Amino acid sequence: LKLFTQSAAMASLGRALVFVSGSLGAVLVSFAAVNDSILLHVKIGQWNLLWYVGILGVIYSVGKGMLPDVNVHPSYAHNIFKEIDNALIKVSTSTHHFPD
């Protein structure tokens, strides 16, 4: 199924899910590094923070699954600044005169 391309909207949604869940997961893991009882004893709603770490892990995995495989579908995004630089270098070889 990885041979079929995904829409740009799905890839953008996957990137957003990975970014948000990864950043929130990093915050919760940093809380756990300070004091591991924080994950077990602090509750938001009915569940403790350890439950939210698990849910964020699932959301992160779903988001990573929505991203296209770069080995099968390489990115064809062009660096426009590099292209402009190359074009100007070609022009400058024709327009600049360097006498000996």
Side-chain angles (χ1 to χ4, degrees), residues 31-64:
F31 284 158
V34 171
N35 187 359
D36 58 345
S37 66
I38 290 175
L39 292 180
L40 296 174
H41 299 296
V42 174
K43 290 188 174 192
I44 298 175
Q46 297 176 352
W47 299 286
N48 57 12
L49 291 181
L50 188 61
W51 185 84
Y52 287 104
V53 169
I55 294 301
L56 287 173
V58 169
I59 293 171
Y60 184 85
S61 298
V62 168
K64 287 291 271 189

Side-chain angles (χ1 to χ4, degrees), residues 58-81:
V58 169
I59 293 171
Y60 184 85
S61 298
V62 168
K64 287 291 271 189
M66 294 170 85
L67 296 178
D69 188 13
V70 293
N71 295 329
V72 177
H73 302 289
S75 143
Y76 292 107
H78 298 287
N79 186 352
I80 192 160
F81 299 111

